[in-house]
């Protein structure tokens, strides 16, 4: 097996492991974009009010974030995947917006490997704010960046624009 093929298999296995774990969480939801085939997907779950999701966070949780944790407060976006193609340039952001707006979240939250500079740059360009680091041993020996995204009217407005993509929402 070639190194690129081995890397693809490992990435696919990690994605399936995340999906398998998250699909069991209360409130799990996934949105899918498709045209003649699958273009991309995003999934996640509501963050419970017990503070469990924030365990290992390196800084004090800001009062504003702490107050949002609860029903429809914070929604964790676990993964966004989009097939690379020039026509798909804005699909990832629209998937993220659809997931957060559909769940009436006030704040999106996600964890990103600090070494994944392209993902961090993309998320920051969409308005995600870097609020610190978190250590999640079950996810591996990687220190992760914690990013949050306040959900506002702009996200809703972006979703109301005409689109050529078909959207499917699936909740477990």
């Amino acid at each position: 097996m070639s190194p690129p093929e081995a890397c693809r298999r490992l990435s696919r296995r990690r994605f399936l492991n995340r999906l398998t774990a998250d699909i069991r969480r209360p409130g799990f939801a996934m949105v899918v974009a498709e045209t003649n085939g699958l273009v991309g997907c995003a999934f996640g779950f509501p963050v419970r009010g017990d503070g469990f999701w924030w365990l290992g966070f390196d800084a004090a949780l800001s009062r504003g974030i702490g107050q949002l944790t609860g029903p429809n407060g914070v929604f964790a976006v676990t993964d966004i995947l989009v097939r690379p193609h020039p026509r798909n340039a804005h699909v990832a952001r629209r998937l993220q917006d659809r997931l957060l707006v559909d769940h009436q979240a006030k704040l999106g939250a996600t964890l990103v490997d600090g070494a994944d500079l392209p993902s961090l740059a993309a998320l920051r360009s969409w308005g995600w704010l870097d609020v610190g680091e978190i250590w999640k041993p079950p996810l591996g020996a990687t220190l992760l960046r914690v990013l949050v995204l306040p959900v506002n009217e702009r996200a809703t407005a972006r979703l109301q624009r005409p689109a050529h993509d078909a959207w499917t929402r699936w909740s477990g």
Side-chain angles (χ1 to χ4, degrees):
M1 178 179 337
S2 69
E5 185 178 330
C7 184
R8 278 192 299 275
R9 284 189 181 190
L10 180 60
S11 295
R12 183 174 191 274
R13 186 177 19 212
R14 286 181 180 156
F15 165 76
L16 292 174
N17 287 343
R18 284 190 308 273
L19 179 59
T20 301
D22 286 353
I23 205 166
R24 295 181 180 126
R25 293 179 183 267
F28 170 84
M30 174 184 273
V31 290
V32 174
E34 53 189 354
T35 53
N36 294 334
L38 181 64
V39 173
C41 69
F43 58 88
F45 55 88
V47 174
R48 298 186 325 227
D50 62 5
F52 181 77
W53 196 83
W54 303 103
L55 287 178
F57 189 53
D58 73 338
L61 194 58
S62 84
R63 182 178 164 132
I65 292 173
Q67 290 174 340
L68 289 174
T69 303
N72 296 333
V74 180
F75 193 88
V77 178
T78 308
D79 226 324
I80 302 172
L81 293 124
V82 176
R83 178 173 288 158
H85 189 280
R87 287 183 31 211
N88 299 341
H90 301 288
V91 173
R93 187 171 181 179
R94 292 188 62 222
L95 284 166
Q96 153 207 288
D97 290 347
R98 172 63 60 196
L99 195 57
L100 295 171
V101 170
D102 282 357
H103 286 85
Q104 300 173 349
K106 294 174 185 76
L107 188 73
T110 195
L111 305 177
V112 180
D113 182 336
D116 186 353
L117 299 180
S119 293
L120 286 168
L123 291 168
R124 288 175 181 147
S125 76
W126 300 346
W128 287 83
L129 307 171
D130 194 324
V131 295
E133 296 176 329
I134 198 165
W135 174 256
K136 296 275 189 184
L139 297 177
T142 304
L143 196 60
L144 303 168
R145 301 300 312 165
V146 179
L147 283 83
V148 296
L149 178 71
V151 180
N152 57 32
E153 299 81 33
R154 283 183 292 166
T156 305
R158 279 193 299 267
L159 293 174
Q160 293 172 348
R161 291 185 199 142
H164 300 286
D165 302 316
W167 297 92
T168 306
R169 183 172 177 269
W170 183 79
S171 296

